[in-house]
Amino acid sequence: MTMILTHRRPNTITQLLLVATLLATACVSVPEPGAHPSTHSRAPRFTPTRPVVVIPGFGNSKLWDPAAESYVWGTPGTTIFTRYDDDLDLPFDTATGRFGFDNLVPRGGFAGSRGPVNIAWRISHGLVKRGSYHWMHSGELPADNADIHPFAFDFRLSAVDNARRLDAFIDDIRVRHRDPALKVDIIAFSAGGMVALTYAKLGTADLDRPDTWDAGSRAAASKMATMLLVATPQEGTNESIRVLFRGEKIIRREWPQEMMATFPSIAEMLPEARFPLVDETGRQVAFDVWSAADWRELRFGIYSDGVKASFGGRGDEWSAIERGFRASLTRAARFREALRTRPFPEGVQVTALAGDCIPTARQVLLRRDGTLAFYPSELLPGERHLESVLFVPGDGSISADSATAQIGWSEFFCRGHQGIASDAGAHEAMLSALAKGFAADLDALADTAAQGMESASSR
């Protein structure tokens, strides 16, 4: 959710350069003060035994409108042109009382095509350059188990919905490999990591049916072996509050608060702390991030006077968004509780990669005038004494604690949020984790062979 504000209309060349800057992925990446090259050791070379599914972050998938036969998001033009028949906001479904699905579908790869602005490309390029992996091109039959399969997903939807799509995607890989028992490795970045995390802990189960969660997780575990969560907000991020409070403007394209409020994925990434705001004295503010009543009382987001006034005589539309937002908060709280209490399935090796040297908001300053400060650069001179209260180590968007929660093995890098995806040391760490999975495969084969020999000798 990169916030890039432009105060004058740029020329075409400048627009394209700005597009290359912004179409990286989810969640803001602040400048990296004194970021240094990684000193992590080089990963061992090995022959991959499984294909890799690479999942990018928020905003990194192109969205296609089949009715208009045009892209609505993910191309340079979609950051410049502002009006679409089917825009990015999700419709309110009166049957469920929640935000539903619209006509848009992920198609045609990723925002930024191929190159450094494409998170999926950055990670895949590292595997190709430093490992024994190779690209999997659309329409090709797999050559071997070293293929890389980028997974485009609708970043607006709940991670529960996208976990189901991930399951179908893996099934398709099995079909293409002609191996119904094939397992895949997964490398997931930022909001994409929430999809992978959901898949590991719930599988394709219904969030409203806890009795199905165990079976869903076991089924998912049968299809994957190693999972790497890169800069993933496992315990949420204050960036979600920011976009619900401020919205975004990307070149000329507006992502207003009322549109962000229709994305279930945003609510699912709200910070774990129920009361993340502090006042100018450093005291906790009575604002429960999961309570729509508290959002309304403070006139935040869709409850602000400006947003409500913008609907004019379309009060029914605002009421539908408000109902959907309340439902999203309630459901997101239940979703996060499920992830927090559910164990990782046995047999899946999980590693977390995170940034740890950039001040990242643990709490957010709420001033008396109603403004918020999310970054050190937004603090006024008289507020500098609050830095130790407000900020902790992270990557500028995701705190190190949030990115490594519940993960037994973690590695840290002095990089900004988006920079981790292109860090050479991070690529080596990814390959090392995949190599450990390879070694585990060999050990399992050896154990099976040994048991077979013992059985034969006993006969």
Side-chain angles (χ1 to χ4, degrees):
M1 295 172 283
T2 307
M3 183 178 69
I4 298 180
L5 301 181
T6 55
H7 302 286
R8 61 184 176 84
R9 185 173 181 176
N11 60 34
T12 301
I13 294 177
T14 304
Q15 286 174 332
L16 293 176
L17 290 175
L18 287 171
V19 169
T21 302
L22 70 95
L23 288 179
T25 176
C27 306
V28 121
S29 183
V30 297
E32 302 171 29
H36 54 75
S38 175
T39 57
H40 289 255
S41 60
R42 187 172 180 81
R45 302 287 290 190
F46 66 99
T47 301
T49 58
R50 292 178 293 271
V52 174
V53 175
V54 176
I55 311 176
F58 184 94
N60 200 211
S61 299
K62 294 180 181 179
L63 296 179
W64 172 262
D65 182 349
E69 295 188 338
S70 63
Y71 284 104
V72 174
W73 177 250
T75 65
T78 56
T79 64
I80 298 170
F81 301 107
T82 59
R83 293 185 180 276
Y84 295 88
D85 292 334
D86 192 340
D87 211 341
L88 296 177
D89 55 309
L90 291 170
F92 178 72
D93 184 351
T94 56
T96 63
R98 304 196 302 263
F99 294 116
F101 304 92
D102 61 7
N103 194 42
L104 305 182
V105 293
R107 172 176 165 178
F110 300 95
S113 186
R114 67 186 297 271
V117 299
N118 181 330
I119 291 296
W121 188 91
R122 292 191 202 187
I123 293 173
S124 301
H125 180 69
L127 299 181
V128 170
K129 181 178 179 180
R130 296 179 175 85
S132 301
Y133 290 87
H134 50 71
W135 304 103
M136 179 69 203
H137 298 290
S138 178
E140 283 186 344
L141 288 176
D144 53 43
N145 285 339
D147 292 323
I148 301 171
H149 298 258
F151 173 62
F153 68 101
D154 190 335
F155 50 85
R156 304 169 301 163
L157 302 178
S158 166
V160 175
D161 295 318
N162 280 309
R164 296 189 183 107
R165 297 184 177 191
L166 176 60
D167 184 69
F169 186 78
I170 294 173
D171 282 345
D172 182 65
I173 293 174
R174 286 177 150 189
V175 170
R176 298 173 70 184
H177 276 264
R178 300 183 179 89
D179 184 353
L182 180 70
K183 290 189 175 185
V184 301
D185 295 323
I186 296 176
I187 302 177
F189 178 80
S190 193
M194 295 300 287
V195 176
L197 188 65
T198 303
Y199 185 61
K201 294 195 171 189
L202 302 179
T204 63
D206 187 340
L207 182 62
D208 298 322
R209 291 277 311 279
D211 58 303
T212 65
W213 294 355
D214 284 342
S217 180
R218 287 195 299 270
S222 71
K223 300 180 183 181
M224 59 180 175
T226 302
M227 186 170 72
L228 288 87
L229 301 177
V230 184
T232 295
Q234 298 179 62
E235 294 186 341
T237 169
N238 284 301
E239 289 293 289
S240 287
I241 295 179
R242 182 184 66 81
V243 297
L244 288 170
F245 182 79
R246 295 177 178 172
E248 294 277 32
K249 185 176 181 180
I250 303 175
I251 308 299
R252 295 180 59 197
R253 185 71 174 273
E254 297 279 357
W255 293 45
Q257 300 103 304
E258 60 268 29
M259 184 178 86
M260 291 290 195
T262 71
F263 296 177
S265 62
I266 298 294
E268 290 175 352
M269 291 187 288
L270 284 167
E272 192 86 353
R274 296 192 73 91
F275 300 96
L277 304 187
V278 298
D279 62 20
E280 289 159 307
T281 69
R283 295 177 180 174
Q284 193 174 71
V285 175
F287 167 71
D288 184 347
V289 73
W290 303 103
S291 168
D294 285 8
W295 284 80
R296 182 173 58 249
E297 182 176 347
L298 292 181
R299 296 182 178 179
F300 279 178
I302 60 170
Y303 296 102
S304 69
D305 295 337
V307 169
K308 296 181 74 172
S310 70
F311 280 84
R314 298 176 292 119
D316 290 346
E317 290 184 33
W318 183 88
S319 295
I321 292 175
E322 196 270 341
R323 285 181 62 194
F325 181 62
R326 281 191 281 118
S328 287
L329 291 179
T330 300
R331 190 170 179 80
R334 187 161 65 249
F335 163 78
R336 289 284 292 281
E337 176 68 17
L339 293 191
R340 182 168 54 252
T341 57
R342 294 281 300 166
F344 284 101
E346 293 184 5
V348 178
Q349 300 185 68
V350 185
T351 300
L353 276 58
D356 67 345
C357 70
I358 297 176
T360 304
R362 175 182 62 186
Q363 295 181 295
V364 178
L365 172 63
L366 172 62
R367 303 187 180 95
R368 283 186 292 272
D369 63 2
T371 59
L372 299 176
F374 292 91
Y375 311 113
S377 60
E378 295 182 336
L379 294 179
L380 302 175
E383 299 167 345
R384 293 294 175 188
H385 67 285
L386 294 172
E387 286 195 37
S388 61
V389 174
L390 297 173
F391 305 106
V392 293
D395 62 23
S397 292
I398 314 298
S399 71
D401 288 342
S402 180
T404 59
Q406 302 184 36
I407 306 298
W409 182 263
S410 305
E411 296 204 39
F412 298 93
F413 304 86
C414 189
R415 300 284 285 180
H417 187 61
Q418 298 166 5
I420 298 174
S422 57
D423 185 86
H427 294 159
E428 295 294 342
M430 294 175 196
L431 288 165
S432 293
L434 295 172
K436 290 177 184 177
F438 169 71
D441 283 351
L442 290 182
D443 289 343
L445 287 172
D447 289 343
T448 301
Q451 292 171 6
M453 292 177 65
E454 291 176 3
S455 175
S457 63
S458 66
R459 293 195 298 269

